[in-house]
Structures are given as structure tokens and as C-alpha cells.
Amino acid sequence: MAGDRHRSSYRRYAGGDPLAPPVDLSEALAHIGEDVMAGYSPERAMQEFLRRGGQDQRGLDELAREVARKRQELLQRHSLDGTMNEVRQLLDQAVLEERKQLARDAMMDDSDRAFRELQLENLPSSTAAAVSELNDYDWQSPEARADFEKIKDLLGREMLDQRFKGMKQALEGATEEDRAAVNEMLGDLNELLEKRRQGVDAEQDFADFMDKHGDFFPENPQNLDELMDALAQRAAAAQRMLNSMTPEQRQELMELSAQAFGSPELMEGLNRLDSNLQALRPGEDWSGSEQFGGEEGLGLGDGTGAFQDLAELDALSEQLSQSYGGARMDDVDLDMLARQLGEQAAVDAKTLAELEKALRESGYLKRTSDGTLRLSPKAMRQLGKALLRDVATRMSNRQGQREHRNAGAAGDRTGASREWAFGDTEPWDIPRTVLNAVQRTAGDGGELRLTVQDIEVIETEARTQAAVALLVDTSYSMILDGRWVPMKRTALALHQLISSRFRGDALELIGFGRHAEVMEIEQLTALDRMPAKGTNLHHALLLANRHFRKHPNAQPVLLIVTDGEPTSHLEPDGQLYFSYPPHPLTIANSVRELDNSGRLGAQVTFFRLGDDPGLARFIDQMAKRVDGKVVAPELDDLGAAVVGSYLGSRGPGRSTGYEDPWGGWYGGSRGFWVG
């Protein structure tokens, strides 16, 4: 037996498709980015994605609902009187056969027959009491005696099945030698556990025990702790089942248990076993109970199994909730999940765990000095690329044509080449592109075909051509009206476009609420929803004009996203002034600073959010002062409108006559290819 415990076994692979590609983080990152921009922390945003799941991926919430549904089905389908009903049926059958025999037996003394019939007629209504009373009855019918003996055999097998899964079937038709072997195993097991309780090293005793009694333990525990864990979990489930019975059911079962195998020895061994396990594993739930309300009766062994299932379902519910401190997807027991919900559920949970691990290890999340998680620059670039693709799709759908490229716009060649990326305007490096295709298809024997991955473009020297200031309203009204996230998405898309494709342009992001502030893209996208009221366009324009003056040889481009009139400005001494409705002095300061932008040559575009007529009149008047434009996009089109304005309102060949967010800019000088 000792050698058998270490033999290898093979079974069907249960971990999903072993040849499946690595998890795709793009969908997860897009959802996490949306939640971060909405004000969630990256940690919470990641947990929310794991809870919701993806388009083709079940999340934790759906798995938890399946767990809850199965738990409810168990309770609603079953009752705990299965063994009691089976005993009653066997008892009724035995009594019936005995009465038949008494009626047929012509040789029996009439007084003896009458006494026996009276005894059978007046049996107690309690099944346990009736079995106890008939224990010494001299059965005249062999069939009745066999049925009554089945009761003792059934009780013994059920009692053992409560503690050792599968015993009910294994001991069906058992001989006296088989029963003696069970009692011997129980005695040796209790001695082994009692040694552990006394602190004695019992590992060699465990090996000897398994060599002798290993056939009783098909789960093949590898050490004493594994054995105790398995036994304690099932014994605790048996105790919870007993606790869940009615007092009458519990009393009957206790009385019947004395009849198990026709000897009290078995119950003495089992009670001793329960006592040892409770002392060695006090952390198990020995006192819980459940309320069953179904009609399908469970035997003692099956009922104990149902309580083990309920315990596993409760554990899975907690694991899937991820609501405790330090929770990780690795906490989810995949084997347990497969047992309860099937292999596909385990595969889904494993994929979520791989997603979580990949997100933590991919560099998309970084831990700051104060211990909190933030989106890394790598994550910001990835999000920006996704948003820029969305912008390009919207622009392409609206215009239905491709932008032409002006020769020389990208700068002088450096002699180097790099892999093509979306939005590149540089010419192809034909030799490198063809070489990449040859190397990729070498040995295939087929014709040469180019793919996007083969393309390399000629690197050009960057030129400072535009100084861009994007002013985004961060006032309280932007939060109330659902414009907070679209504003951040717009800033990130423009930042990605300029930093990756037009690196010679200088972009400054300026958020303005009660006061204005120059922000890095990571700071802006992680900006909390601020309750402070105020729209300080004056301060924002001061910062924008300072940016333009730092780049005197660049074309100033001023892009202003707002949903309200100015209600705050800076006093000469630097103090903030706030007034609602807007004070004339606030309006005057804002107008004066916008005029300064116009004198610097800034090409100005206002992006008006909302339908407030007063705001529309104010912005129209402001735009006319500097020959600027006004765009009133839908929120979903804000990013495309801002990017389009940037592309079309800078450099030579600038379009004029801009009447809507989709006209006049798409044929501008700055190439933005949608292919």
C-alpha cells in the first residue's frame, strides 16, 4: 500500500485550452481606464472589471450568482429524513411479511399467534422505539427477519458513510469479517489521532496505518494532516446535519444509532472519532445548521455530502466576493469551483486570475510612494491608443475620406527607421519592409505577402510647429452633467496623438475650476471629482498665454472645453474672486486675457457643452473677438471634435469657414491617416 500512495495518475486536462493565446489585456485596460477617469482608484477599478467580466468572459458576480443559485436549489430540493423513511419502509415491510407468515402458519398455537399479532399491532409510532422493541422478537418469517436485519445493516453503513464517503456502497452485503475490519480500522484511527493530540510524532504511525487500512481511503492522503482535514470536514458536516434536524428527528436518530450493525461498538468508535477530530480541528464549523424545505429525502451519508457541498459553496461565495482585506483571485479554489459548478466555471475563474496577475505584472499599474496604485505611463499610452482609434473611427465615419499628406511636413530624415504605428505620416522604408516580409515567410514556400507588422517607416527629425494649450473645465457642473469622463478621454486622446505622432508640437493641459492648474496627463486622468464650484477661465488663459510665450516660433493653438460662463478670476494680488451669477469684472478679465491670446496669434476653438442659451451667446461673442470657432459636439463626439480641430487649425493650408465639428478641418495640412 505504501508504494501505491506515490504512484502517478492521469486524467483529462481541466484547465481550459492549453494552446489558447495569453489573456488580452486591452479590454480590461479600457474598462479600468474608464473607471479611473470616473474617479475610481486603479485597484478598485481592476476589482470592478473582475466582478463584471468582459464581453466574452464571465465575471466574479456571475459566478457568485451561480453559486448562490446552486445553494438555494440544494435547500429547496432536499429534506433530511431520507434514512428515517428508508428505515420505516423496511420496518413496515418486515411487519407485513411477518403478519402474512402468521396467517399462513397452521401449525402455530392460536394463543401464540394472537400474542404475536397483538405485539405487532401495538408497536410504538416512533420508528426508533418500534425497532428497539422488535430487536428481540423471534421472527417467524425468514423474509421479515432479513428485512429487519437490513435495518441494522443500513444504519451501520449510513453512520459510516457520514464519516467516510462511499462506505454505504462499499459495505453493502458486508460479512461479519468486513464489519470487524471496520471496527479495527476505527480503533487504530482513534489511537493515531490521540497520539497527535498528545503531541507525539505520529508520521510513522500514519504510514503504518495507511499500509494496513489504506483501502478505506481512496482519496489517498499523503500525510496525517491531509487525513485529519478530510475527516474533520466530513465529520463537521455530519454534525451540522444533526443540528439541522428537528428535535424529534434528532432523538429518533440517536436511538436508532444504537442498532447500527446490531452492536454498540460502531457508535462508540464513531463518537470517539468525532471527539478527537473536534479537538484537533476546532476551526471547522461544528455548530452551524441549515433549513431544508424540499421533498427529496437524503440519507445520512448523502445528507453529509450535501452539507459538505453547502460548506464549499459558502467558501466559494466568500472567495468570489473578494470583499476581505488582501483578497486576490488566487484565493479562489479552482478544484472546488469545478466540483460545484463544472469545469467551465473553473476555466473562467482561472482566466480572471491570469488577467489580474497580468495586470499587476505587466507594468500597467504602479505603486506610488504612499502605497496606492496608479495607472503607469505605459497604461496611459495604451489607453490613449485605444481612445485615438475610437476618435479616428468616428472621424472616418463622418467624413468618409482619407487625409492627404504634404511632403516635408514631418521633418528631415534621420537615417533611422522604426516599426509603423497607427497615425504615422512618414514614408515607408521599402528595403526594410520587404526584408521583414522575407524573413517572416522564409521557408514557407509560398508567395511573398506584406502584412502591417512588416512595415517600417523612415524616422524624421521632429520640428516644433505648434504650441497647443488644451483648457478643460473641471468645475462641479461638469461632474453633475456627466461630462467628467468624456473630458478626460478627450485630453488623453489628444495627448496620445501629439506625444506619439507629432512630437515636435508642445502640448500643455490646463484644468480650470475655481482656479486653474497645469497638469500632467496622469494627474488629469486621475483627478478626483471636486465639489468646489467655480469656472476660472481667466486663470486658465493666463497659463495658456504663458505657454505660448515660451514657444515664440510655434503656431499657438488654443482649445477650450467648457460648459459654463466664467464665475471666478484672479485679482492682481493673486487672490481668487468667485461670484455667481458671473460678475462683470470676471467677464472683463477673461475677455482681456483672450484678447492677449489673439494678439499672440492663437487659433482659438471653443467646444461648448450643453444647451444653455446664455452660454451659447457668451461663447459666440468671445469667439468673434479672436476670429475663433465654436463647436457644440455631442459628448461621444467631443474627442473627435477636439482632435479634428487640432489637426485642421494649425499650419499652412488651414481650412476656413468651419461651421460644424466635421467640416473644414479634415483636409488640413497635418496628416492623420485612417486606414
Side-chain angles (χ1 to χ4, degrees):
M1 291 296 296
D4 290 344
R5 289 188 289 112
H6 302 287
R7 64 176 181 265
S8 299
S9 62
Y10 298 88
R11 60 185 174 86
R12 186 163 61 90
Y13 178 72
D17 183 0
L19 301 179
V23 292
D24 182 10
L25 297 182
S26 58
E27 182 185 15
L29 190 61
H31 284 281
I32 290 171
E34 285 286 313
D35 285 346
V36 168
M37 286 188 283
Y40 288 6
S41 69
E43 182 79 31
R44 182 184 172 192
M46 179 173 64
Q47 292 301 324
E48 285 297 317
F49 176 76
L50 295 175
R51 292 178 68 85
R52 294 192 303 261
Q55 182 175 356
D56 300 315
Q57 169 67 48
R58 285 194 294 180
L60 291 173
D61 283 349
E62 186 173 347
L63 292 174
R65 283 194 294 271
E66 288 193 28
V67 166
R69 185 161 51 247
K70 181 174 181 181
R71 191 184 197 284
Q72 190 67 17
E73 287 175 356
L74 273 175
L75 295 174
Q76 292 179 346
R77 183 192 313 156
H78 298 295
S79 65
L80 300 180
D81 54 3
T83 296
M84 306 297 293
N85 289 337
E86 197 171 352
V87 169
R88 188 77 219 186
Q89 289 173 4
L90 287 171
L91 179 62
D92 291 344
Q93 186 174 329
V95 170
L96 178 61
E97 291 297 328
E98 181 68 4
R99 283 175 171 168
K100 289 179 180 178
Q101 181 64 31
L102 293 176
R104 289 193 303 265
D105 194 347
M107 303 297 294
M108 180 176 292
D109 181 75
D110 288 342
S111 60
D112 185 26
R113 178 187 295 110
F115 176 77
R116 290 176 180 275
E117 288 178 345
L118 184 63
Q119 188 176 2
L120 295 177
E121 183 69 27
N122 292 289
L123 285 173
S125 59
S126 164
T127 302
V131 170
S132 178
E133 184 168 319
L134 291 174
N135 193 44
D136 296 324
Y137 179 81
D138 182 16
W139 297 93
Q140 300 300 299
S141 167
E143 293 82 2
R145 182 182 298 109
D147 286 337
F148 190 76
E149 290 300 320
K150 286 180 182 178
I151 292 176
K152 299 178 181 180
D153 181 70
L154 171 66
L155 289 170
R157 290 187 292 119
E158 287 279 18
M159 291 295 177
L160 283 170
D161 202 42
Q162 276 196 301
R163 276 73 171 187
F164 308 94
K165 185 177 181 181
M167 280 287 198
K168 181 178 180 180
Q169 292 76 24
L171 289 178
E172 189 170 6
T175 64
E176 288 299 325
E177 290 76 13
D178 294 329
R179 295 170 182 171
V182 169
N183 286 328
E184 184 182 10
M185 180 273 291
L186 276 175
D188 292 344
L189 177 58
N190 280 314
E191 288 181 8
L192 178 64
L193 297 179
E194 284 158 4
K195 281 188 177 182
R196 171 58 70 88
R197 288 182 66 177
Q198 296 164 8
V200 177
D201 183 3
E203 288 306 318
Q204 183 57 47
D205 297 283
F206 167 77
D208 296 338
F209 175 83
M210 292 299 295
D211 285 340
K212 184 177 180 181
H213 302 294
D215 289 340
F216 288 104
F217 303 94
E219 61 270 20
N220 197 22
Q222 297 299 301
N223 53 57
L224 183 53
D225 284 317
E226 286 188 13
L227 176 63
M228 289 191 301
D229 287 341
L231 290 173
Q233 289 167 9
R234 194 157 179 89
Q239 183 61 50
R240 293 195 301 275
M241 180 179 181
L242 188 65
N243 299 341
S244 302
M245 292 179 174
T246 65
E248 294 77 12
Q249 289 175 325
R250 193 158 47 243
Q251 180 64 31
E252 289 236 331
L253 183 61
M254 291 299 96
E255 293 176 5
L256 280 171
S257 64
Q259 307 296 327
F261 286 158
S263 166
E265 186 178 358
L266 173 64
M267 286 309 301
E268 290 173 0
L270 290 176
N271 290 335
R272 183 180 165 196
L273 175 63
D274 288 347
S275 176
N276 285 323
L277 291 172
Q278 288 194 40
L280 290 166
R281 290 292 185 269
E284 294 290 338
D285 181 8
W286 299 92
S287 59
S289 63
E290 296 288 350
Q291 185 66 45
F292 284 79
E295 298 181 356
E296 185 178 323
L298 289 173
L300 298 182
D302 291 339
T304 298
F307 273 85
Q308 281 191 292
D309 286 340
L310 290 171
E312 288 196 347
L313 291 169
D314 288 341
L316 286 171
S317 180
E318 182 179 13
Q319 293 166 12
L320 293 170
S321 74
Q322 297 281 286
S323 59
Y324 49 92
R328 292 289 184 271
M329 280 300 305
D330 288 342
D331 299 343
V332 179
D333 189 325
L334 299 181
D335 291 335
M336 188 186 295
L337 192 62
R339 280 196 302 273
Q340 296 299 333
L341 299 186
E343 291 180 0
Q344 185 56 50
V347 171
D348 289 337
K350 182 181 179 183
T351 302
L352 291 174
E354 290 173 350
L355 271 170
E356 181 189 48
K357 182 178 179 182
L359 284 167
R360 293 184 184 278
E361 296 179 355
S362 63
Y364 288 134
L365 302 175
K366 66 176 182 179
R367 198 164 293 280
T368 60
S369 57
D370 61 0
T372 59
L373 281 179
R374 292 192 65 176
L375 294 180
S376 67
K378 179 180 178 182
M380 300 303 300
R381 290 192 297 271
Q382 194 71 18
L383 280 173
K385 289 179 182 178
L387 293 175
L388 199 53
R389 283 193 295 270
D390 179 64
V391 165
T393 300
R394 290 180 178 276
M395 292 166 61
S396 178
N397 291 341
R398 289 298 185 105
Q399 191 64 17
Q401 60 179 327
R402 292 183 177 179
E403 171 59 44
H404 71 276
R405 297 181 176 84
N406 287 355
D412 298 326
R413 299 184 179 187
T414 64
S417 64
R418 59 175 172 80
E419 182 181 351
W420 176 86
F422 174 80
D424 278 336
T425 62
E426 293 82 357
W428 286 13
D429 187 330
I430 300 299
R432 288 293 306 172
T433 298
V434 174
L435 179 61
N436 291 338
V438 170
Q439 291 175 336
R440 179 177 53 79
T441 59
D444 290 351
E447 62 182 359
L448 184 66
R449 289 182 177 273
L450 293 180
T451 68
V452 172
Q453 289 74 23
D454 298 324
I455 301 172
E456 290 197 23
V457 295
I458 296 172
E459 190 70 83
T460 59
E461 181 182 357
R463 296 177 179 174
T464 301
Q465 296 184 353
V468 185
L470 175 62
L471 281 56
V472 290
D473 192 339
T474 60
S475 64
Y476 192 53
S477 59
M478 293 283 285
I479 300 171
L480 291 177
D481 296 326
R483 297 158 186 158
W484 194 250
V485 173
M487 173 270 291
K488 292 184 177 183
R489 289 170 57 91
T490 297
L492 184 53
L494 183 63
H495 177 273
Q496 176 64 24
L497 176 64
I498 292 177
S499 62
S500 62
R501 302 294 165 254
F502 308 124
R503 291 183 290 273
D505 290 354
L507 171 65
E508 186 151 276
L509 301 173
I510 300 170
F512 61 100
R514 183 165 290 220
H515 71 281
E517 180 182 359
V518 175
M519 297 181 174
E520 297 296 327
I521 187 61
E522 295 85 359
Q523 180 185 4
L524 177 59
T525 52
L527 189 64
D528 288 336
R529 297 169 179 244
M530 298 175 295
K533 298 180 180 179
T535 306
N536 199 332
L537 179 61
H538 170 237
H539 191 185
L541 290 169
L542 283 169
L543 296 176
N545 289 337
R546 184 182 67 180
H547 174 61
F548 296 150
R549 294 185 183 99
K550 288 180 180 178
H551 303 278
N553 297 322
Q555 169 64 57
V557 177
L558 179 60
L559 309 171
I560 304 171
V561 179
T562 186
D563 70 345
E565 299 176 68
T567 57
S568 180
H569 69 269
L570 282 183
E571 295 284 4
D573 60 359
Q575 295 296 312
L576 285 173
Y577 178 87
F578 170 78
S579 173
Y580 183 83
H583 193 279
L585 189 57
T586 299
I587 300 297
N589 277 289
S590 302
V591 169
R592 183 175 64 252
E593 204 55 42
L594 180 65
D595 289 344
N596 289 336
S597 300
R599 281 189 284 272
L600 290 170
Q603 298 172 10
V604 181
T605 305
F606 284 90
F607 299 89
R608 175 174 56 81
L609 304 180
D611 300 321
D612 178 49
L615 174 64
R617 288 192 297 270
F618 170 77
I619 288 182
D620 287 343
Q621 293 170 2
M622 293 279 280
K624 287 179 181 179
R625 295 183 66 88
V626 290
D627 193 23
K629 304 168 188 165
V630 178
V631 180
E634 297 294 329
L635 281 179
D636 289 344
D637 289 334
L638 177 61
V642 171
V643 167
S645 181
Y646 159 71
L647 292 173
S649 65
R650 53 169 313 284
R654 168 188 171 201
S655 301
T656 57
Y658 194 104
E659 296 180 356
D660 62 69
W662 310 111
W665 51 262
Y666 204 66
S669 65
R670 182 54 94 185
F672 187 64
W673 180 55
V674 181

